[in-house]
Amino acid sequence: MSRFSLLENMASLTGLQVVSFGLTLAILPFLTRTLGVSAFGEVVFAQLVINYAMWVVNWGFYLGATQRISANRSEKATIEKIFAATWLAQFALTGVVLIVYLACVLILPRFDGLQPIYLAGLTMILGNTLLPIWFLNGLEQIRLGAMLQIGNKLIALPVMVLLVRSPETSWIYFLAMGLAMIITGTIALWIILVRLKINLKMPHKFEVWHALRE
């Protein structure tokens, strides 16, 4: 990696953190004022639950898969196999997580009356799987990955401001974030498959198991 590329990647990651922090600070006063203390507390708790679900889905792919793709950047066929196996493994984990998540939300008394919030959060879990930042990082497309993640927040923010007007509409916060992630994930996949010309082929089940194990 050249010194310029390293500096560009560092600047991209720094910019992502600065913009994310700034947008979070911008939306927090609005949410606390609009939703009230009790409803805002439920939103924060729901965000934690959804984040845990996404962490399970990510399963360390941001470390292992990124490293393997980076080590094989010059071998297109190899990175195509890694991408297909890892992405399918991530979808398999997403299916398991969604089953457990839905069972908890629909059965446990803790979530009574809060189902709209958590069901809207499903879109965030799906959007997370559709946005393979780990693959872009492995190809050293750090700036592109950062722009897509910033795009999530820039798309969702005006929707929140316009439509979240009461505690009863707090579910829109999660739906806006989830749909924004799905939109940027779709854009990312178009770039990967069309612009970067990555061929997506069905991997062997042992390759998927290897991706999970690694």
Side-chain angles (χ1 to χ4, degrees):
M1 180 188 296
S2 67
R3 181 176 298 180
F4 175 78
S5 296
L6 179 60
L7 291 175
E8 182 183 45
N9 291 340
M10 291 175 62
S12 298
L13 292 174
T14 301
L16 172 62
Q17 295 303 318
V18 170
V19 172
S20 296
F21 185 69
L23 292 176
T24 299
L25 287 181
I27 196 64
L28 279 179
F30 168 78
L31 289 176
T32 53
R33 184 178 66 253
T34 303
L35 301 179
V37 175
S38 178
F40 180 72
E42 289 294 347
V43 166
V44 172
F45 182 80
Q47 183 74 68
L48 287 173
V49 173
I50 294 166
N51 284 346
Y52 275 118
M54 291 192 295
W55 291 336
V56 173
V57 168
N58 289 337
W59 192 258
F61 296 134
Y62 280 75
L63 297 175
T66 298
Q67 184 182 37
R68 292 196 300 277
I69 291 167
S70 180
N72 295 279
R73 282 198 311 274
S74 60
E75 301 176 16
K76 186 171 182 288
T78 301
I79 64 172
E80 287 176 344
K81 288 183 178 180
I82 296 172
F83 174 61
T86 304
W87 202 36
L88 186 57
Q90 199 171 17
F91 264 105
L93 281 175
T94 301
V96 173
V97 166
L98 289 182
I99 291 172
V100 175
Y101 180 93
L102 281 172
C104 292
V105 169
L106 298 176
I107 295 174
L108 295 181
R110 169 65 180 82
F111 301 102
D112 286 348
L114 300 173
Q115 282 86 357
I117 292 176
Y118 290 91
L119 292 178
L122 289 173
T123 59
M124 293 183 65
I125 301 173
L126 291 172
N128 173 72
T129 304
L130 285 174
L131 186 57
I133 296 297
W134 47 268
F135 182 73
L136 296 175
N137 288 347
L139 294 179
E140 293 187 10
Q141 298 283 342
I142 307 295
R143 183 174 63 176
L144 174 59
M147 290 173 61
L148 289 168
Q149 292 177 85
I150 292 172
N152 287 338
K153 299 181 183 298
L154 292 178
I155 293 171
L157 187 62
V159 178
M160 297 175 194
V161 173
L162 290 173
L163 300 181
V164 177
R165 291 299 179 183
S166 66
E168 290 73 25
T169 58
S170 58
W171 60 273
I172 296 176
Y173 168 83
F174 295 102
L175 185 63
M177 285 296 298
L179 292 179
M181 293 171 71
I182 290 173
I183 291 171
T184 53
T186 303
I187 294 172
L189 291 174
W190 179 82
I191 292 173
I192 290 170
L193 299 177
V194 178
R195 297 293 297 275
L196 300 180
K197 298 180 180 179
I198 299 297
N199 295 316
L200 186 60
K201 299 178 181 179
M202 181 61 67
H204 193 277
K205 61 181 179 180
F206 292 114
E207 292 176 327
V208 177
W209 170 246
H210 179 73
L212 286 170
R213 187 181 62 184
E214 288 292 320

